[in-house]
Amino acid sequence: MKTLRLILGDQLHIKHSWFNTTNNDVTYCLFELEQESTYVTHHIQKVIGFFAAMRQFYKDLESLGHQVIYIKINDEPKGHNLEQNLSRLIKKNNITCFEYMQPDEYRLDLQLSQFTSKLNIKTKAYSTEHFYTTRTELSEFFKGKKQYLMENFYRYMRKKHNILIIANQPEGGKWNYDKSNRKPWKNDFKIPPPIYFENNVSAVLKDIKKANINTIGHFNSEVFHYPISRIQALQQLKYFCEHLLIHFGDFQDAMDTDEEYLFHSRLAFALNIKLIRPKDIIKTVLNYYRLHSTEINISQVEGFIRQIIGWREYMRGMYWAFMPEYKSLNTLENYNPLPKFFWTGQTKMNCLKQSINNSLNNSYAHHIQRLMITGNFALLTQTNPNEVDNWYLGIYIDAVEWVQLPNTRGMSQFADGGKIATKPYVSSGSYINKMSTYCKTCTYNKNKKTEADACPFNSLYWNFLDAKRNHLEQNFRMKMMYSLLNKMDGQELHKIKQRANHIISNPDAY
């Protein structure tokens, strides 16, 4: 039996059981596809990263003795897509069995399911052997429940996998140290520089340009700094443990004008294309913590682990629980266009300028920049979640739909009506000032609401609460803010709404 096995661009898992042995009757295939490069407008570094990592994976598989077919973006015939490539290879090589790892994106899962249903040869889908959970584990855990609370799922995961657990109780006495993870950065000591890799991607860049792939963002080099192999991903993990973990939890929500990465690991790209497994990360972090527990507080470690086995696995489970309907939810009925400055970074609002330019320059922003700066502004200006989804999915190097969509449409934009978040993540300028240094050098005054130099977030915040009153006033977590809104002087509220509506109508003037 001659078998063809497909490997997608986010399935670069060299430790998968597929690769434990070589077999002359098994051929692997990887494709650089136009359909994957253009379904949204991607950041140039994202396209470079995927292609570079895929090409490295191809080399790694060949070095292990596997038979591999690799089709580059400009290989003939031009304009090839997934099904055409597979059909051509199956016919050309007299394939009698087609196998693939289950895609993590709904559209690809559907595409491959439909493709295999038409084949008259044997087919089989395998697990990616990457995640802690199955696709359906979260929905099974919450079966019969009205709300899918992440904290409950996180505690289940901790117990099931015996992570920071002693006698079935949380190590250190607390399940969650989130209250210790909200310190602003005050430049009290030196931050270690990020680890960079010297990956020459001149050939990849040349191929992308030749293929006329439309991209956003900047890349002014031929050297790509993110990891493109498992070895590099492990090196980055080691560097995080030795230099950054000690302060990660404290400052994971902080934002600073002069610091792009602070103590963040920057492992999400390698993790999401499966160069490294979540179990690798958790095991390494825990081992390092055990050896250095007198130096590293448990709050730093728990805050990081929560991101991996809580947030990440939860988002994946929610994605598969509610797709495909989830992608079209717009509970708050927001339909405004995304401001043009999201694509250029040209705005006088310093927090947005810093966060968007970091995104354009590095294809990176950490979770609070995404949630409480760009996401907050998009929600307060009542932007169409379709446009917000496309921007987030395109601009970030780690963005694949299974993790991006529930974060954007659910947590950030509350378009799912509360399936993921128990309240909208919105704030005025006060939160941004508390957690960042952006306000210190901003054109706008964080303490004003309606004046010409007033921080736009302030009027937008109160206007949003008033505009979405029918959707949110009965939310138990919003009662205090609605109590304050209801006590506001009518004339003041009128001025606030005037200011906010002008911003919403002319966001690129601010």
Side-chain angles (χ1 to χ4, degrees):
M1 182 178 292
K2 296 187 70 174
T3 299
L4 181 70
R5 286 177 169 175
L6 171 68
I7 303 168
L8 296 173
D10 65 344
Q11 296 178 339
L12 310 184
H13 180 10
I14 202 70
K15 294 296 183 179
H16 193 279
S17 59
W18 268 5
F19 312 122
N20 289 342
T21 58
T22 58
N23 186 333
N24 291 333
D25 290 325
V26 175
T27 301
Y28 296 94
C29 59
L30 295 93
F31 311 136
E32 295 171 8
L33 295 172
E34 184 178 324
Q35 71 165 59
E36 295 306 292
S37 306
T38 58
Y39 68 92
V40 294
T41 305
H42 296 289
H43 197 292
I44 179 63
Q45 293 187 40
K46 184 180 181 185
V47 183
I48 290 170
F50 269 80
F51 285 6
M54 289 167 66
R55 293 182 186 190
Q56 182 60 49
F57 195 73
Y58 162 56
K59 293 176 184 176
D60 292 342
L61 286 180
E62 280 204 322
S63 70
L64 293 173
H66 297 289
Q67 296 185 98
V68 191
I69 296 171
Y70 192 96
I71 298 179
K72 294 182 180 180
I73 191 68
N74 293 305
D75 288 349
E76 296 292 344
K78 295 288 181 66
H80 49 84
N81 64 27
L82 179 59
E83 294 173 56
Q84 289 171 343
N85 279 356
L86 290 172
S87 296
R88 196 175 298 116
L89 292 182
I90 289 170
K91 183 178 180 180
K92 181 180 178 181
N93 296 282
N94 297 314
I95 298 299
T96 54
C97 179
F98 171 65
E99 299 177 345
Y100 64 96
M101 294 185 216
Q102 291 178 321
D104 290 311
E105 295 201 22
Y106 182 88
R107 63 184 177 84
L108 284 170
D109 191 63
L110 181 63
Q111 186 178 10
L112 282 169
S113 295
Q114 292 174 341
F115 173 74
T116 54
S117 69
K118 300 171 188 175
L119 292 177
N120 57 4
I121 61 173
K122 184 180 178 181
T123 64
K124 185 176 181 180
Y126 287 78
S127 166
T128 61
E129 301 174 7
H130 173 78
F131 295 94
Y132 274 92
T133 55
T134 65
R135 281 183 180 178
T136 59
E137 188 168 347
L138 178 138
S139 56
E140 291 164 1
F141 174 76
F142 285 114
K143 189 175 182 179
K145 302 288 194 305
K146 289 184 178 179
Q147 197 164 35
Y148 290 19
L149 289 174
M150 189 189 80
E151 181 66 22
N152 293 343
F153 181 71
Y154 171 54
R155 295 183 184 190
Y156 155 77
M157 291 288 288
R158 288 266 299 273
K159 288 180 179 179
K160 178 180 178 180
H161 298 283
N162 195 32
I163 297 171
L164 292 178
I165 292 291
I166 298 176
N168 212 37
Q169 293 300 313
E171 184 175 340
K174 292 182 180 180
W175 285 106
N176 190 313
Y177 289 84
D178 187 47
K179 290 183 179 179
S180 302
N181 300 155
R182 302 173 186 171
K183 295 179 182 177
W185 174 243
K186 296 183 178 179
N187 205 28
D188 292 331
F189 47 88
K190 189 175 181 180
I191 300 173
I195 182 173
Y196 289 132
F197 299 96
E198 301 297 311
N199 296 308
N200 188 297
V201 292
S202 56
V204 173
L205 188 59
K206 183 179 179 181
D207 286 345
I208 291 170
K209 289 180 178 178
K210 183 179 178 181
N212 292 317
I213 298 172
N214 184 37
T215 61
I216 55 173
H218 312 303
F219 185 69
N220 302 316
S221 172
E222 292 186 343
V223 178
F224 184 72
H225 293 312
Y226 287 94
I228 61 170
S229 68
R230 177 174 172 81
I231 290 173
Q232 289 183 348
L234 291 171
Q235 289 172 345
Q236 187 160 348
L237 174 59
K238 183 174 184 288
Y239 186 89
F240 170 71
C241 290
E242 293 176 351
H243 299 280
L244 305 171
L245 177 61
I246 190 169
H247 297 299
F248 170 80
D250 286 344
F251 304 109
Q252 66 173 296
D253 287 2
M255 298 171 286
D256 187 87
T257 303
D258 300 319
E259 297 293 341
E260 295 167 338
Y261 304 115
L262 287 165
F263 297 94
H264 289 267
S265 71
R266 297 170 62 249
L267 278 165
F269 171 64
L271 185 60
N272 288 353
I273 64 173
K274 302 180 181 61
L275 296 179
I276 192 169
R277 296 170 295 188
K279 289 182 180 179
D280 297 329
I281 293 176
I282 298 299
K283 181 180 178 181
T284 302
V285 167
L286 283 175
N287 286 344
Y288 190 85
Y289 169 60
R290 299 297 178 211
L291 293 172
H292 301 86
S293 58
T294 57
E295 307 159 36
I296 301 175
N297 191 282
I298 192 172
S299 64
Q300 318 295 341
V301 179
E302 187 278 323
F304 183 76
I305 285 174
R306 188 177 351 117
Q307 299 290 325
I308 306 295
I309 67 164
W311 168 82
R312 187 171 185 266
E313 298 282 341
Y314 171 79
M315 288 298 177
R316 176 177 181 254
M318 293 295 280
Y319 178 81
W320 285 107
F322 294 109
M323 283 294 284
E325 294 79 12
Y326 196 86
K327 195 170 182 176
S328 61
L329 295 179
N330 189 359
T331 302
L332 295 181
E333 301 175 284
N334 291 334
Y335 299 104
N336 290 325
L338 191 70
K340 293 177 182 176
F341 66 71
F342 270 70
W343 307 96
T344 66
Q346 295 175 8
T347 172
K348 291 178 284 186
M349 291 174 279
N350 195 40
C351 59
L352 283 160
K353 181 180 180 180
Q354 296 293 331
S355 298
I356 291 173
N357 277 302
N358 187 20
S359 304
L360 291 168
N361 292 333
N362 303 303
S363 195
Y364 172 87
H366 73 62
H367 63 288
I368 296 299
Q369 290 169 319
R370 301 186 198 195
L371 181 65
M372 298 308 300
I373 304 295
T374 51
N376 187 14
F377 189 82
L379 181 52
L380 292 179
T381 52
Q382 301 168 48
T383 303
N384 189 325
N386 291 339
E387 295 201 21
V388 183
D389 280 341
N390 288 341
W391 186 80
Y392 276 93
L393 183 57
I395 201 164
Y396 293 119
I397 194 166
D398 54 39
V400 282
E401 192 184 74
W402 66 265
V403 68
Q404 170 273 317
L405 185 67
N407 266 284
T408 302
R409 193 165 289 253
M411 196 171 205
S412 172
Q413 298 304 294
F414 206 72
D416 65 0
K419 285 181 169 62
I420 285 178
T422 54
K423 72 175 183 66
Y425 279 88
V426 289
S427 79
S428 63
S430 60
Y431 172 84
I432 298 169
N433 180 57
K434 176 185 175 184
M435 294 306 301
S436 79
T437 59
Y438 298 148
C439 299
K440 292 178 181 179
T441 54
C442 188
T443 300
Y444 298 103
N445 189 319
K446 66 183 184 299
N447 298 316
K448 296 181 180 180
K449 292 187 180 73
T450 58
E451 296 85 345
D453 65 340
C455 171
F457 280 87
N458 292 339
S459 59
L460 288 170
Y461 176 74
W462 293 107
N463 176 73
F464 173 81
L465 293 184
D466 187 63
K468 303 302 177 183
R469 187 184 290 271
N470 290 341
H471 294 285
L472 302 173
E473 192 169 21
Q474 298 307 312
N475 185 308
F476 74 98
R477 294 193 66 192
M478 302 290 288
K479 286 192 177 296
M480 184 179 77
M481 301 316 297
Y482 274 101
S483 176
L484 293 173
L485 178 65
N486 292 335
K487 293 174 184 176
M488 190 176 289
D489 176 76
Q491 194 170 13
E492 181 185 9
L493 180 59
H494 177 70
K495 290 180 181 178
I496 286 172
K497 291 181 70 65
Q498 275 190 319
R499 165 80 169 171
N501 286 321
H502 188 270
I503 296 167
I504 291 169
S505 300
N506 307 276
D508 290 292
Y510 287 85

